[in-house]
Amino acid sequence: MLKIKRGDCSVLHLVLKKKWYDMIASGEKREDYRAAKNYYRTRIANFIRRYADKGLKKLVVAFSCGRRKADIHMTVIGINIYPDSLHPEWGEPKGYHYVIVLGRRVVMVDESEVE
């Protein structure tokens, strides 16, 4: 597992239902889907802007199951917008939506924990 310092990445926190959380945790689901509404448009734009403005090294998504503390952190390979649903059985919304393509699982560490 890759270790990333908290200050070296931009983190987008997302809450998942248990079904989708378990599929991402097992590695079966390698993408997350969010409707292209103003709420996510703003959150994703700010997420990318922090990355670009601060010259950070990675984009990371932190997933939590329900309202508990996020405990899955994944690197982001890409974020795309699609007009139609390819995987509705995996919760992909109809119409325009964001597809967050997930990479490796990472562990977030503080400066003092890095060797």
Side-chain angles (χ1 to χ4, degrees), residues 29-48:
K29 188 173 182 229
R30 303 297 303 169
E31 299 174 335
D32 186 52
Y33 313 108
R34 300 292 159 153
K37 305 283 185 196
N38 283 337
Y39 177 75
Y40 284 112
R41 189 175 298 120
T42 302
R43 287 189 68 199
I44 290 172
N46 290 340
F47 171 60
I48 294 169

Side-chain angles (χ1 to χ4, degrees), residues 47-64:
F47 171 60
I48 294 169
R49 191 175 302 117
R50 279 192 310 269
Y51 168 77
D53 290 349
K54 294 183 179 180
L56 302 174
K57 297 177 183 174
K58 295 278 183 191
L59 291 169
V60 173
V61 176
F63 292 109
S64 63

Side-chain angles (χ1 to χ4, degrees), residues 16-17 28 43-44 51 53 60-61 69 71 86 105:
L16 298 171
K17 291 183 179 180
E28 180 181 357
R43 287 189 68 199
I44 290 172
Y51 168 77
D53 290 349
V60 173
V61 176
K69 183 179 175 185
D71 58 356
L86 300 173
R105 195 161 176 174

Side-chain angles (χ1 to χ4, degrees), residues 6 21 63-72:
R6 293 183 196 285
Y21 177 89
F63 292 109
S64 63
C65 183
R67 295 292 175 195
R68 70 181 190 205
K69 183 179 175 185
D71 58 356
I72 296 178

